[in-house]
């Protein structure tokens, strides 16, 4: 709050102060009349001209003052200089007026002393003094000048009288006038404070108004009687009235009814909004109500009421948000490439469809899967793959009707749901029809592609249908169709389910066996052709199922790979094999089989190293067996990890050579030490000369590359002799030398020389 000096007053306070000086023209006129009348009376009594001069001056000055008062009342003051000019005029005439009264007193007391003149002058002056606080408080300068011009002549008059009584009177009149000044100050303070508060209130109201009417949200405040007491421009806008004031006094129901009548809202929505908002206002909760106007715009209303206060309803247009949400919802439900319902939404749709209608009816589900789609993607690129998917989706989509629902399940898989299947034959004909429509060559971006699909289907009573179960069954049938040579469809049969269930149970059991370390390791001897003594052993994993008994690794290893737990088995095998090998004579090494999946992560290098370190085994004694598929999968990183293993000193053997890609041309580019030839080559080597030539060829090609050769699956002495004579591999492995043994069995056997060694030596020497 500024000080009271006029210079520092804000204009909007200064102007009312100046106006306050001119306000009371009636008392001024009465005062002038009384003063001039008394002065005239004194003149008549004393005949002293000085009183006539006083009376005349007061009339003349009074006239001027009243004139300026009228001027101010008729013309509002607009700026500071105008205010200042008027204040100065007021001060000028006011000072003259006071001076005339001062002269009246000075004359009465001293100059032309007269008993009546003295009393009259002092009475008039004191009466006038009251106006100092009453009318002139608005101008501190005026107050000061009035006090001086009124006090001085009285005090001077009394002092000049000289006697002790008058001198005392003269001195005492001074504090009286200063008390009057104090009163004037107080009045001014009060006025100032009032004006200041009003100014603040106005400012606040203006700001509030501005905030209210520029905010993007609409706002309506309701009194406790439920009538609008505040509304903003946005609210007026929505209600299509010219200004917020037009909304005042209306009720919520009135507003909504108006909205409905104006075709903005449906009757139903209007009732809904009223119920919801009224409830929100009553409960004082932050409740949001979303309304869709008939013109497609969306508004979100929220209501708030804290007890004993005004209820507030705000609203925002949320059309953009709602539309975005709808788009997202669409994207979440429909496949972006084909526009067909996606897996999740299809599931939702099906659950709904199946639950509705006659529960005794039969429903059907078919899963379609493009054959060898991966190779199209790999060879022709994803855009062509996408093009093909789009084309298939288009053709399948054409079958969709009230009864048939089509979805893209992901990748190259499509699902078709049949809501009401009357007969199995009819269903089969339908599927054949779909197949026929898809078959044939198509052109995708200039590539002639033959569409080939397989499908699995399942039928079920609606009453007992579960979407997930149907999907699983259709999938099982699809697998069977693929197994049967692709390009056809199969209907689900109970036997498939049994196989599936067994597989699921076995998976769970395997997981538990791996987690609890319920696996065993056995070691199969690998024998040197030259010495006929064991040089190393292959570690093979064993799982004894508590109910089924031993399960072949050819069964559970692929399961573990599928389940993603093969690396746990590999770790187990690595640490067991290295630990056992460390106990054997130093001439014996150990071989461990790793899966292609082990080479998906660099972890494998760390694991091998950790196993060697823990067992304190020389790296040269460990051999890793990997199959061609592992090498071909993801060449660069697999090669890199193999290279890193090799740098550790570990040996690398290529397992099952001849069963996979079987190209010798790439052998030299891989960091290998050994090739293990699959036992299938040995099956009829004693009878079929072509098999023998093949074996010889592989050995002869491997040798120059610095690769040792192991031949697996040697079961008979006959085979061994043939190998010794014709093929001369470095190592042999097979049941002839025993099946896999426990680790301690190997330690005992390490010194064994087979009885037929001499004969083989002879054969080798003769060859
Ligand atoms: P593989 O690596 O080729 O292992 C040799 C398999 O041939 C073993 O079968 C072995 O018992 C069998 N075998 C050895 N000599 C003969 C023979 O003279 N005649 C016949 N008919 N078979 C013979 P097993 O133990 O059933 O293992 C099968 C496959 O399971 C293995 O083939 C290997 O690929 C995989 N496997 C076994 N243990 C592991 C393991 O710890 N990790 C990984 N990743 N795979 C393993
Ligand atoms: Ca092996
Ligand atoms: Ca093998």
């Amino acid at each position: 709050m500024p000080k009271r000096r006029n210079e520092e007053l804000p204009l909007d306070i200064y102007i009312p102060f100046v106006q306050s000086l001119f306000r009371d023209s009636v008392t001024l006129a009465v005062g002038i009349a009384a003063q001039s009348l008394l002065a005239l009376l004194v003149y008549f009594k004393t005949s002293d001209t000085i009183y006539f001069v006083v009376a005349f001056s007061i009339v003349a000055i009074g006239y001027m003052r009243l004139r300026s008062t009228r001027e101010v009342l008729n013309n509002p003051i607009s700026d500071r200089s105008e205010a200042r000019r008027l204040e100065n005029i007021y001060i000028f005439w006011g000072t003259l007026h006071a001076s005339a009264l001062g002269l009246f007193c000075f004359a009465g007391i001293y100059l032309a002393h007269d008993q009546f003149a003295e009393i009259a002058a002092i009475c008039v002056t004191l009466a006038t003094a009251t106006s100092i606080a009453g009318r002139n408080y608005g101008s501190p300068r005026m107050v000061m000048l009035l006090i001086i011009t009124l006090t001085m002549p009285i005090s001077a008059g009394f002092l000049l009288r000289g006697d002790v009584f008058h001198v005392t009177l003269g001195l005492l009149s001074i504090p009286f006038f200063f008390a009057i000044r104090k009163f004037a100050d107080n009045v001014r303070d009060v006025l100032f404070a009032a004006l200041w508060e009003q100014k603040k209130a106005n400012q606040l109201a203006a700001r509030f108004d501005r905030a209210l009417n520029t905010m993007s949200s609409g706002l309506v405040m309701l009194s406790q009687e439920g009538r609008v007491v505040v509304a903003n421009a946005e609210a007026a806008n929505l209600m299509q009235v010219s200004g917020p004031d037009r909304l005042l006094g209306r009720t919520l129901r009135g507003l909504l009814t108006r909205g409905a009548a104006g075709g903005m809202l449906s009757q139903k929505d209007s009732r809904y909004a009223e119920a919801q908002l009224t409830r929100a206002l009553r409960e004082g909760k932050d409740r949001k109500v979303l309304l869709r106007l008939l013109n497609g715009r969306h508004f979100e209303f929220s209501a708030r009421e804290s007890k004993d206060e005004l209820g507030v309803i705000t609203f925002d247009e949320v059309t953009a948000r709602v539309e975005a949400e709808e788009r997202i919802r669409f994207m979440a439900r429909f496949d972006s490439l084909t526009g067909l319902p996606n897996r999740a939404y299809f599931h939702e749709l099906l659950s709904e469809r199946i639950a509705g209608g006659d529960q005794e009816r039969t429903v059907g589900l078919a899963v379609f899967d493009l054959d060898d789609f991966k190779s199209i993607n790999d060879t022709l690129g994803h855009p062509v793959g996408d093009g093909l998917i789009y084309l298939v989706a288009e053709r399948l989509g054409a079958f969709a009707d009230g009864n048939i629902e089509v979805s893209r399940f992901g990748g190259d898989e499509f699902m078709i749901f049949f809501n009401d299947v009357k007969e199995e034959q009819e269903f089969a004909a339908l599927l054949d029809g779909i197949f026929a429509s898809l078959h044939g060559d198509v052109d995708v971006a200039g590539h002639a592609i033959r569409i080939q699909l397989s499908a699995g289907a399942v039928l079920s009573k609606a009453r007992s249908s579960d979407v997930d179960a149907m999907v699983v069954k259709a999938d099982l049938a699809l697998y069977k169709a693929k197994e049967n040579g692709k390009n056809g469809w199969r209907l689900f049969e109970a036997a498939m389910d049994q196989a599936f269930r067994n597989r699921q149970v076995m998976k769970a059991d395997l997981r538990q066996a791996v987690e609890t370390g319920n696996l065993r390791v056995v070691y199969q001897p690998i024998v040197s052709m030259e010495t006929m003594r064991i040089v190393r052993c292959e570690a093979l994993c064993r799982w004894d199922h508590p109910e089924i008994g031993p399960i072949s690794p050819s069964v559970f290893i692929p399961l573990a790979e599928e389940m993603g737990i093969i690396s746990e088995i590999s770790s187990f095998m690595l640490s067991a094999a290295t630990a056992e090998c460390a106990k054997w004579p130093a001439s014996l090494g150990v071989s461990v089989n790793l899966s292609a999946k082990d080479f998906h992560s660099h972890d494998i290098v760390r694991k091998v190293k950790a196993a060697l370190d823990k067992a304190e085994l020389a790296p040269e004694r460990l051999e890793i067996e990997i199959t061609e598929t592992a090498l071909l999968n993801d060449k660069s990183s697999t090669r890199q990890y193999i290279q890193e293993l090799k740098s550790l000193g570990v040996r690398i053997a290529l397992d099952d050579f001849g069963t996979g890609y079987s190209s010798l041309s790439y052998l030299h580019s891989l960091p290998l030490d050994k090739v293990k030839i699959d036992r299938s080559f040995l099956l009829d080597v004693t009878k079929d000369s072509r098999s023998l030539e093949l074996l010889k060829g592989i050995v002869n090609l491997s040798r120059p590359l610095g690769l040792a050769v192991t031949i697996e699956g040697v079961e008979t002495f006959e085979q061994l002799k043939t190998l010794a004579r014709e093929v001369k591999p470095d190592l042999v492995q097979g049941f002839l030398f025993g099946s896999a043994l426990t680790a301690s069995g190997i330690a005992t056997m390490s010194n064994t020389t087979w009885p037929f060694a001499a004969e083989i030596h002879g054969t080798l020497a003769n060859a």
Side-chain angles (χ1 to χ4, degrees):
M1 190 153 107
K3 293 200 196 88
R4 276 167 283 130
R5 296 223 348 256
N6 286 355
E7 286 73 19
E8 289 168 7
L9 285 180
L11 185 63
D12 49 355
I13 288 188
Y14 180 44
I15 289 174
F17 270 8
V18 172
Q19 279 167 335
S20 75
L21 298 173
F22 295 94
R23 194 156 43 210
D24 212 355
S25 58
V26 178
T27 45
L28 180 64
V30 172
I32 289 164
Q35 290 157 5
S36 48
L37 188 72
L38 268 176
L40 216 57
L41 219 61
V42 173
Y43 167 67
F44 285 128
K45 181 167 180 280
T46 60
S47 307
D48 198 325
T49 42
I50 192 158
Y51 295 112
F52 184 76
V53 172
V54 167
F56 179 76
S57 312
I58 288 173
V59 171
I61 294 164
Y63 171 73
M64 292 309 287
R65 289 190 77 178
L66 286 169
R67 223 175 73 148
S68 61
T69 299
R70 217 180 26 247
E71 186 193 339
V72 172
L73 290 179
N74 291 340
N75 306 300
I77 308 170
S78 57
D79 58 32
R80 188 177 287 276
S81 61
E82 171 74 355
R84 173 127 310 229
R85 186 181 69 80
L86 290 168
E87 187 190 5
N88 287 340
I89 290 174
Y90 184 86
I91 290 173
F92 176 74
W93 293 116
T95 309
L96 278 184
H97 190 168
S99 304
L101 291 174
L103 179 65
F104 190 12
C105 290
F106 189 65
I109 296 166
Y110 180 72
L111 267 187
H113 178 66
D114 172 86
Q115 196 82 25
F116 177 69
E118 184 178 309
I119 290 171
I122 288 177
C123 283
V124 149
T125 304
L126 287 182
T128 305
T130 59
S131 80
I132 296 178
R135 186 192 308 120
N136 300 292
Y137 58 84
S139 170
R141 282 190 292 154
M142 183 77 264
V143 170
M144 245 354 257
L145 283 167
L146 284 176
I147 287 171
I148 290 166
T149 44
L150 289 179
T151 324
M152 299 279 259
I154 295 178
S155 296
F158 284 137
L159 290 175
L160 285 173
R161 290 277 285 275
D163 61 297
V164 91
F165 303 104
H166 282 95
V167 168
T168 311
L169 202 56
L171 289 175
L172 282 180
S173 60
I174 296 171
F176 168 70
F177 280 99
F178 279 92
I180 286 180
R181 185 189 151 186
K182 186 82 188 109
F183 300 152
D185 283 354
N186 288 346
V187 174
R188 188 165 52 247
D189 281 352
V190 170
L191 178 68
F192 182 83
L195 286 171
W196 187 254
E197 287 309 317
Q198 188 186 25
K199 179 183 156 157
K200 272 209 309 207
N202 286 344
Q203 217 167 39
L204 207 65
R207 284 178 188 162
F208 177 65
D209 213 49
R210 190 166 158 70
L212 206 60
N213 289 312
T214 51
M215 69 193 254
S216 58
S217 304
L219 180 142
V220 169
M221 281 170 119
L222 298 167
S223 66
Q224 288 201 306
E225 293 74 45
R227 294 194 178 271
V228 175
V229 286
V230 175
N232 71 353
E234 207 43 47
N237 215 353
L238 176 68
M239 292 309 299
Q240 293 168 358
V241 293
S242 55
D245 291 349
R246 304 286 302 273
L247 298 177
L248 301 183
R250 298 189 194 225
T251 59
L252 187 59
R253 169 172 293 181
L255 291 176
L256 288 166
T257 312
R258 191 192 144 96
M264 217 155 52
L265 268 178
S266 70
Q267 285 289 351
K268 202 174 122 236
D269 282 349
S270 138
R271 278 195 300 275
Y272 164 78
E274 189 193 342
Q276 292 291 316
L277 290 171
T278 314
R279 193 163 146 207
L281 284 169
R282 195 179 50 236
E283 289 173 1
K285 282 214 193 82
D286 231 329
R287 182 186 291 273
K288 287 195 179 335
V289 183
L290 186 69
L291 277 187
R292 185 182 189 281
L293 300 195
L294 293 175
N295 61 10
R297 292 167 73 190
H298 290 82
F299 285 85
E300 190 172 69
F301 290 76
S302 13
R304 260 166 304 233
E305 185 184 49
S306 36
K307 280 202 180 69
D308 311 324
E309 275 184 34
L310 298 175
V312 181
I313 295 175
T314 54
F315 61 87
D316 287 286
E317 173 153 17
V318 291
T319 311
R321 193 194 80 198
V322 170
E323 282 171 359
E325 282 167 356
E326 271 165 12
R327 270 200 303 280
I328 291 168
R329 220 166 292 135
F330 183 86
M331 268 152 57
R333 291 174 148 197
F334 294 90
D335 173 50
S336 60
L337 174 64
T338 61
L340 291 174
N342 64 14
R343 188 186 194 107
Y345 184 48
F346 188 65
H347 198 289
E348 206 177 292
L349 272 177
L350 252 56
S351 307
E352 239 167 65
R353 294 292 298 269
I354 293 175
D358 177 12
Q359 291 302 295
E360 290 310 313
R361 77 187 193 280
T362 301
V363 295
L365 185 72
V367 52
F368 282 74
D369 187 284
L370 288 174
D371 291 336
D372 303 317
F373 178 68
K374 193 176 171 321
S375 69
I376 292 176
N377 250 346
D378 289 348
T379 52
L380 302 178
H382 285 273
V384 176
D386 282 355
L388 182 62
I389 293 288
Y390 185 82
L391 212 132
V392 171
E394 212 173 38
R395 293 193 182 178
L396 285 179
F399 287 92
D401 61 17
N403 199 30
I404 296 179
E405 208 79 68
V406 180
S407 146
R408 182 182 179 201
F409 231 48
D412 57 345
E413 238 184 33
F414 295 89
M415 283 274 177
I416 304 186
F417 172 73
F418 304 85
N419 190 39
D420 193 357
V421 179
K422 297 274 182 277
E423 267 179 74
E424 201 176 310
Q425 272 121 318
E426 179 211 64
F427 183 62
L430 206 55
L431 284 182
D432 285 339
I434 294 177
F435 251 79
S437 81
L438 289 165
H439 248 270
D441 293 334
V442 291
D443 184 290
V444 180
H447 298 277
I449 298 175
R450 167 152 299 172
I451 302 183
Q452 209 177 286
L453 300 107
S454 302
V458 60
L459 290 172
S460 152
K461 283 262 174 270
R463 176 172 26 84
S464 56
S465 291
D466 166 78
V467 180
D468 285 323
M470 284 181 88
V471 169
V472 168
K473 288 174 179 172
D475 264 336
L476 286 170
L478 172 69
Y479 287 135
K480 269 280 171 269
K482 294 236 176 197
E483 241 175 62
N484 292 356
K486 303 184 176 174
N487 202 18
W489 66 271
R490 281 282 303 263
L491 195 61
F492 171 80
E493 292 155 16
M496 297 177 189
D497 204 23
Q498 195 52 48
F500 175 74
R501 274 182 219 282
N502 288 345
R503 210 174 143 79
Q504 292 307 102
V505 170
M506 197 179 290
K507 275 188 178 179
D509 293 344
L510 177 61
R511 187 182 297 280
Q512 198 182 358
V514 170
E515 278 168 6
T516 54
N518 254 330
L519 297 172
R520 280 190 299 126
V521 192
V522 290
Y523 299 88
Q524 187 178 32
I526 299 174
V527 173
S528 155
M529 194 75 199
E530 206 180 339
T531 62
M532 277 296 118
R533 292 174 69 138
I534 302 177
V535 287
R536 62 186 319 108
C537 296
E538 178 174 0
L540 294 164
C541 190
R542 292 290 174 263
W543 176 33
D544 302 311
H545 191 280
E547 286 136 35
I548 308 170
I551 293 177
S552 165
S554 344
V555 173
F556 73 81
I557 293 289
L559 268 189
E561 287 178 335
E562 200 180 304
M563 291 161 69
I565 56 171
I566 187 67
S567 70
E568 274 91 329
I569 294 183
S570 299
S571 304
F572 167 76
M573 293 297 290
L574 277 169
S575 48
T578 49
E580 290 302 340
C581 184
K583 295 182 207 158
W584 298 335
S587 58
L588 289 192
V590 75
S591 302
V592 174
N593 293 286
L594 291 184
S595 151
K597 293 229 157 49
D598 284 315
F599 288 90
H600 287 177
S601 150
H602 189 261
D603 246 16
I604 190 62
V605 180
R606 190 188 51 74
K607 268 186 200 161
V608 169
K609 185 152 173 27
L612 287 170
D613 290 350
K614 178 134 190 274
E616 295 178 11
L617 187 72
E620 301 76 43
R621 294 177 69 188
L622 176 64
E623 190 169 79
I624 297 297
E625 295 190 6
I626 39 172
T627 58
E628 282 179 304
T629 33
L631 287 169
L632 291 173
N633 257 353
D634 166 11
K635 272 187 193 154
S636 60
S637 66
T638 306
R639 271 181 201 209
Q640 185 202 323
Y641 302 155
I642 292 172
Q643 193 66 59
E644 285 181 36
L645 286 178
K646 217 172 136 67
S647 333
L648 291 177
V650 172
R651 302 283 159 82
I652 313 288
L654 183 64
D655 202 359
D656 298 348
F657 186 79
T659 56
Y661 195 61
S662 309
S663 164
L664 285 165
S665 62
Y666 68 91
L667 283 183
H668 74 277
S669 66
L670 296 167
L672 301 174
D673 297 286
K674 190 182 284 173
V675 180
K676 291 185 80 175
I677 298 171
D678 191 70
R679 67 187 157 84
S680 54
F681 284 85
L682 215 58
L683 283 179
D684 39 21
V685 81
T686 48
K687 290 166 233 144
D688 185 355
S689 60
R690 269 188 308 165
S691 303
L692 193 61
E693 288 309 309
L694 205 65
L695 264 184
K696 269 160 106 176
I698 298 171
V699 174
N700 291 339
L701 280 164
S702 305
R703 284 263 160 72
L705 297 173
L707 298 170
V709 176
T710 306
I711 294 183
E712 294 187 89
V714 183
E715 293 182 353
T716 64
F717 182 60
E718 194 87 344
Q719 287 172 328
L720 184 66
K721 263 200 334 203
T722 311
L723 290 179
R725 195 175 54 236
E726 308 275 348
V727 185
K728 297 188 190 66
D730 304 273
L731 301 159
V732 279
Q733 176 182 2
F735 291 162
L736 179 65
F737 307 97
S739 57
L741 301 169
T742 59
S744 53
I746 293 296
T748 335
M749 268 184 81
S750 63
N751 282 320
T752 308
T753 313
W754 270 267
F756 41 75
E759 197 174 329
I760 293 298
H761 284 147
T763 315
L764 278 172
N766 293 339

